[in-house]
Amino acid sequence: MEADPVLFLFRRDLRLCDNPGFRAACRTGAVVPLFVWEGASDQGSDTAPPQWSMGEAQQWWLHHSLQSLSDSLEDVGLRLTLRSGCVADQIRTIAEDVGASQVFWSHRYDPPGSRADEKLSRELRESGIETRAYGGTLLHDPDGLTTQAGTPYSVFTPFYRRFKDVVDVGPDIGIPESIEVPDAWPRSVDLEELGLLPERNWAKRFPETGTPGASGALARLDEFLEDAIYGYQDERDLMGSDGTSRLSPHLAMGEISPRQVWNAVIREAESSQKGKKQVEPYLRQIVWREFAYHVLANNPSTDHKPLREKYAAFPWADDDAHLRAWQRGRTGYPIVDAAMRQLWATGWMHNRARMIVASFLTKHLRLHWLHGARWFWDTLVDADLANNSLGWQWSAGSGADAQPYFRMFNPMTQGKKFDGDGSYVRRWVPELADLPDRYIHEPWEADNDVLASAGVSLGDTYPAPIVDHAEAREAALAAYAVVKEADG
Ligand SMILES: Cc1cc2nc3c(=O)[nH]c(=O)nc-3n(C[C@H](O)[C@H](O)[C@H](O)COP(=O)(O)OP(=O)(O)OC[C@H]3O[C@@H](n4cnc5c(N)ncnc54)[C@H](O)[C@@H]3O)c2cc1C
């Protein structure tokens, strides 16, 4: 007797390879692949808990990724059903149409996602539909690692040591060997009807960041392994060079699994006989992603509340003009402005640059880190709740293993160290391109002749600094005293 068809609900796992839930669905019966767009809700503008529905830049990525997924499914004889609206309702309707009583999906580990899945499972069970959740999004279960005292980790290095000792990544799994096709396909809406593409002409340079979809992810991984992996340790902080893997948007959308990345890196190290030590700096970053999920899963409010509670008393400033200048890359600090413009133009920003702009927002401007987290959420094509929350809380000083608040990045020093020839600033702040190297990170130090011959007029062609570095530093340290006092 033929088994009933089963539904597979795709979310942030848009791939067929190394997708344990999809494979399990294929082994159970004929598969009806499904994606339901729930729409974007208002992220709010103050520090109230945000909803974190997908930001606009990432919706662009999702649109193209769904197209790619649909093509891959067609290659194996399946058809992607697209719907919008309430997920439970759509699943119930489709299950009834095709005669399915089971829906499979990949486990979501971020707290809003896992809460939503618990509710969804309950609702579907009440309608007689069984749900089955599988791993594949992470290399480990975020609840699975604890310190010797049995508590979750809050410092990366011991977490990393333990991870290396106990986590067995295992081989990745390919596309399911045999795929059964249902007798009839449910009705699907057109991809365009989901309305994922921005109305304004915002995304035209997003393709510079990467090619959405599983094949784009694999091609990017190959390119990185061929050109950059062995230089990663030396190049990864240089903002003007292409020294990192740029796999983040692919990982965020699950077009490639961390296990595929991990195993490919190890294979490369073995086949080149360079050894695992040479690729360890890169693998360590993949474990930072695991750590971010570990921290968020074990401290579920840290997407909007400080992990270190004393930071709740921090006297944040309130200044819309400063926030706007930061968002638009018009602070008058070249390295900050270059980074913010890179983000706006391409939907991606270099990690070193993320740390610099986050420090600038929370320390030089003393604006709440949630303003930054929200802006990133809406403008990054790689937005990931765990990584974003960890990154922002680290920068603000309030998070796990964080940079202390009193340690502020000096934007000029950071620029000189990690963009020594100014190529990053010249690329993203073209109005400064003709300044000599020694002034590119501090144009206010140049005399009028130098500025004039580079065509720069501060406060006119390029903003004068919106805050004075030394004064901002004093003000930040004074504000930090409140947190120190709360410490007792
Ligand atoms: C304020 C701030 C916000 C951030 N927001 C996000 C976000 O929304 N989404 C996101 O994926 N990353 C975020 N990061 C982490 C990091 O900046 C990006 O993962 C990295 O820049 C992506 O580029 P890449 O793929 O070339 O990284 P690579 O250097 O090639 O690293 C490979 C992978 O390792 C993981 N990784 C690397 N660094 C980190 C890190 N510090 N924390 C967690 N995982 C890491 C990522 O999955 C990355 O794709 C944030 C960092 C900061 C400081």
Side-chain angles (χ1 to χ4, degrees), residues 232 244-248 282 285 351 354 382 384 387-388:
Y232 181 76
T244 68
S245 71
R246 288 183 186 243
L247 283 172
S248 51
Y282 183 74
Q285 292 313 117
N351 179 58
R354 293 185 206 209
D382 68 14
D384 173 296
N387 287 2
N388 200 36

Side-chain angles (χ1 to χ4, degrees), residues 309-311 313 480-488:
E309 282 167 18
K310 61 183 181 172
Y311 275 84
Y480 176 68
V482 174
V483 174
K484 263 197 339 207
E485 275 160 30
D487 230 0

Side-chain angles (χ1 to χ4, degrees), residues 127-325:
S127 311
I129 299 170
E130 281 307 313
T131 63
R132 298 191 193 284
Y134 291 79
T137 302
L138 292 175
L139 297 171
H140 87 300
D141 181 339
D143 293 330
L145 293 183
T146 53
T147 63
Q148 286 194 333
T151 53
Y153 285 91
S154 56
V155 179
F156 177 73
T157 305
F159 173 86
Y160 182 50
R161 249 186 257 125
R162 181 107 181 108
F163 181 95
K164 285 200 297 183
D165 281 351
V166 303
V167 174
D168 175 13
V169 170
D172 41 275
I173 52 179
I175 295 183
E177 324 68 50
S178 89
I179 294 180
E180 222 183 295
V181 175
D183 297 335
W185 295 106
R187 180 184 56 78
S188 171
V189 300
D190 286 340
L191 180 55
E192 280 65 28
E193 284 179 51
L194 300 185
L196 297 170
L197 295 176
E199 279 168 19
R200 53 201 154 145
N201 189 16
W202 173 23
K204 60 181 187 304
R205 293 187 67 178
F206 287 8
E208 287 174 27
T209 295
T211 307
S215 49
L218 289 173
R220 179 61 200 142
L221 174 62
D222 282 349
E223 206 179 322
F224 174 66
L225 292 179
E226 206 162 291
D227 301 340
I229 182 120
Y230 299 113
Y232 181 76
Q233 175 69 344
D234 295 334
E235 300 257 325
R236 60 181 291 255
D237 274 317
L238 304 180
M239 291 170 276
S241 94
D242 194 13
T244 68
S245 71
R246 288 183 186 243
L247 283 172
S248 51
H250 302 292
L251 283 163
M253 210 57 86
E255 299 163 352
I256 192 164
S257 72
R259 186 160 62 177
Q260 284 176 284
V261 176
W262 188 277
N263 288 335
V265 169
I266 302 276
R267 272 196 306 274
E268 162 58 37
E270 284 170 357
S271 70
S272 69
Q273 297 186 339
K274 293 210 194 247
K276 206 174 148 197
K277 265 258 149 313
Q278 295 295 316
V279 295
E280 180 155 356
Y282 183 74
L283 295 177
R284 191 181 157 91
Q285 292 313 117
I286 299 293
V287 182
W288 265 100
R289 178 175 182 268
E290 301 288 315
F291 179 62
Y293 276 90
H294 175 83
V295 171
L296 185 59
N298 286 292
N299 306 276
S301 305
T302 51
D303 61 335
H304 64 282
K305 282 193 183 152
L307 179 74
R308 299 160 79 195
E309 282 167 18
K310 61 183 181 172
Y311 275 84
F314 191 83
W316 298 107
D318 181 12
D319 189 323
D320 282 347
H322 278 179
L323 179 59
R324 185 103 189 123

Side-chain angles (χ1 to χ4, degrees), residues 41-58 200 202 302-305 323 326-327 340 343-344 358 361-362 367-381 383-385 388-389 391-393:
S41 56
D42 185 10
Q43 308 287 1
S45 55
D46 54 18
T47 49
Q51 299 301 311
W52 303 122
S53 58
M54 191 174 285
E56 257 192 275
Q58 204 165 29
R200 53 201 154 145
W202 173 23
T302 51
D303 61 335
H304 64 282
K305 282 193 183 152
L323 179 59
W326 178 83
Q327 290 171 335
M340 296 307 292
L343 173 62
W344 182 254
L361 184 83
T362 55
L367 293 173
H368 198 295
W369 60 268
L370 257 183
H371 289 302
R374 277 200 172 92
W375 184 254
F376 269 30
W377 189 258
D378 208 31
T379 53
L380 278 172
V381 292
D384 173 296
L385 193 57
N388 200 36
S389 306
W392 276 99
Q393 293 233 26

Side-chain angles (χ1 to χ4, degrees), residues 451-467:
L451 289 174
S453 64
V456 177
S457 164
L458 292 180
D460 179 15
T461 62
Y462 180 70
I466 56 169
V467 287

